[in-house]
Amino acid sequence: MGVSTGGDPAGGARSGKETASPGEHPHSHTVVTGTLWNYAAAVVAAFLQLGYTAYTGRAVSAAAFGAFASALSITQLLGYFANAGLATTVLRSRELTRGLLMATVRLGLLSGLLCFAVVEATAPLWAELWNAPETTGLLRVLGLQFLVLPVGAVSAAGLRRLQAQRAAVLVETGALAAGLLAGSLLLAAGWNPLGLAVTSVTTQLGIAVLAGAMVTRRLPPAGGRSAERPVRYRELVGSSGFLAGHQLAQYTTNTVPLWAAGTILGPVAAGYYSRATLFTGLLLTTLAAGLTRVTTPALTRVRAEVVGRPPGARAPRGGEEPAVRRAATDVLLAASALSFLPFAFLAGTGPGALQLLLGPGWTEAARLVPPLCAFSAVAVVYAVGLSVDTVCGSLRRMAAAQTAAAATTLAGALVAASRHSLTTLALAAFAGQLSGLAVQMWKWRGGRVVEARRLWGGHAVHAALGLAAYAAGVALSRTAADRPCPALLLVLPAGALFVAFCRPLRTRLPLHRVAAGRGLLPLRLPFRVRGPRREGVTRPQAQ
């Protein structure tokens, strides 16, 4: 089943009025259905996290939470060694077999055991470095998760590779709820701040048990050449090594501001920064994970069917095929639309909302919300771009973009340390992601990976709409706080004009064109019972 190449001979976008070819529908509807399941579960998870954050903001001091955030950053860093890129390898595998899954689990258990030993042995050293005695106990409790974390990550990735998105998100959401409940009960019982660490351990244990059982039931019995252990281990080590190193570099780059806050500005500053990043990180994790978890296997299928090359193979000198370029461009445009607008609105309303959520004494954390929202909006598009490069097998593009992001973030952190400014640290994180995205887009243009003009223009339109969303957020926040807001006089008429002209203008929006060109309008939600489908019929698109 082929995928329509789309576009005009010059590589332009379709207007959205044409009828998409039937071959595009399975890929498009699979992506949308999986994304909606991820987002629906993420809404529930966000409410759970917000309630947990509100409780811990009053039950745990800023210094104790700063020690926990520093300890958590170490375990998250080692988590990339424990996972070793195995979950990504499962997501982009051409065919998931029981032999491949068992091989990834064995490698994950080995790497997780090594990480557990490292954490338990070095916990006192990190506590001495940060001058926070609570870190020792926190690290030793958090280290227990490495005994089950790789199994859970690989099993959840296996469910997604088998297109069982609903099962994967239900498992993760249920495990998160159990972890938050266990942590809250222990904090109430006096295990403060060790209850924070128990939350992560319980969550990972739940994912490993439930996802492991469900993915095992869905796989056929082992047999044939796919179960040959030596071949599988060599393939896994070769394919996942670079991915693990790149993910580690990416996480290190994003955590440099937090480490700088903890080591240079003290645990209280780290507590402020970690609270602000946790607040914005809820939406960041929801958007980035929801998109990358479904687009990586979907783009792998598109590229394999259209181009006939295995996942991760290099493109010819002429660049990717038109259908692959169009699919990658559509995914990136959807990412910018789904990230720029909500984060811009959150940048306007977030400072007041965070102060209301945490209570008094967190004004410094609230000031960090707008620059961290800008960082998060760009980080979503950058993460989806990395999944595009992962599928296309361009290790050089991934390395170049990550090098630019790391260098810019480190330079900004040094400037912030000299000025003792948390706001500058947040701006350094934003500048790092922006530089990485700029390198990505420049490399894509030269390598003919995307439709560059349509991508750049779409990002510009979504950014302009984001400015309007930010103004609306500021106006709403000031109005709720009974503060004067001259911008409200401009936002309301602008909103009225947009509503008046939204019907003729909506067909000009990049996201609408992507949805129409992919056969997704009108959108069918996956949560209701569908009627019988007629084979061989192509639905006309909305005009």
Side-chain angles (χ1 to χ4, degrees), residues 405-419:
T408 305
T409 303
L410 181 59
L414 293 176
V415 174
S418 64
R419 301 178 57 181

Side-chain angles (χ1 to χ4, degrees), residues 22 140 159 167-168 171 183 235 257 311 319-320 340 370 402 405 420 507:
R140 285 179 171 165
L159 289 175
V171 164
E235 290 176 357
E320 297 291 341
F340 288 178
Q402 191 56 47
H420 286 76
T507 59

Side-chain angles (χ1 to χ4, degrees), residues 186-509:
L186 290 177
L187 287 173
W191 289 44
N192 194 339
L194 289 179
L196 296 171
V198 174
T199 297
S200 300
V201 178
T202 306
T203 300
Q204 296 302 328
L205 177 61
I207 293 175
V209 173
L210 296 176
M214 295 180 73
V215 74
T216 302
R217 294 176 57 186
R218 283 171 165 79
L219 286 173
R225 297 184 59 185
S226 61
E228 295 178 4
R229 184 178 302 177
V231 175
R232 288 302 180 188
Y233 286 138
R234 288 196 296 267
E235 290 176 357
L236 286 176
V237 171
S239 63
S240 63
F242 176 83
L243 295 176
H246 182 272
Q247 292 169 357
L248 177 62
Q250 184 182 10
Y251 173 77
T252 303
T253 300
N254 295 340
T255 316
V256 161
L258 175 61
W259 289 341
T263 57
I264 299 175
L265 304 181
V268 174
Y272 290 144
Y273 191 89
S274 60
R275 282 296 189 183
T277 54
L278 177 62
F279 180 72
T280 58
L282 292 176
L283 183 57
L284 169 59
T285 302
T286 299
L287 293 175
L291 285 170
T292 56
R293 287 172 178 173
V294 296
T295 56
T296 300
L299 285 174
T300 299
R301 291 178 58 192
V302 170
R303 192 168 186 265
E305 291 180 1
V306 176
V307 187
R309 292 194 299 267
R314 289 188 177 184
R317 297 186 63 181
E320 297 291 341
E321 295 290 336
V324 180
R325 293 202 302 268
R326 181 170 181 268
T329 304
D330 289 348
V331 167
L332 291 165
L333 286 175
S336 65
L338 294 174
S339 61
F340 288 178
L341 273 67
F343 274 115
F345 184 76
L346 184 62
T349 59
L354 183 60
Q355 285 188 284
L356 180 64
L357 180 67
L358 298 180
W362 296 95
T363 304
E364 189 66 25
R367 293 175 183 171
L368 302 176
V369 171
L372 288 176
C373 283
F375 156 79
S376 300
V378 178
V380 171
V381 183
Y382 179 65
V384 175
L386 288 176
S387 70
V388 171
D389 280 336
T390 299
V391 172
C392 295
S394 178
L395 306 185
R396 291 184 178 181
R397 284 198 299 265
M398 296 174 66
Q402 191 56 47
T403 299
T408 305
T409 303
L410 181 59
L414 293 176
V415 174
S418 64
R419 301 178 57 181
H420 286 76
S421 171
L422 280 176
T423 303
T424 307
L425 277 177
L427 292 174
F430 165 66
Q433 293 295 296
L434 189 61
S435 63
L437 179 61
V439 171
Q440 272 184 344
M441 296 177 67
W442 182 258
K443 293 288 186 179
W444 289 336
R445 180 179 180 274
R448 294 177 58 82
V449 179
V450 298
E451 297 171 353
R453 291 185 179 180
R454 185 160 72 96
L455 181 62
W456 295 356
H459 285 346
V461 171
H462 295 154
L465 293 175
L467 292 177
Y470 172 73
V474 172
L476 178 63
S477 180
R478 287 180 173 269
T479 303
D482 293 330
R483 298 169 60 186
C485 182
L488 184 61
L489 302 176
L490 299 177
V491 172
L492 293 181
L497 289 175
F498 180 77
V499 171
F501 294 100
C502 64
R503 183 171 183 81
L505 286 179
R506 67 190 177 100
T507 59
R508 307 289 298 177
L509 296 177

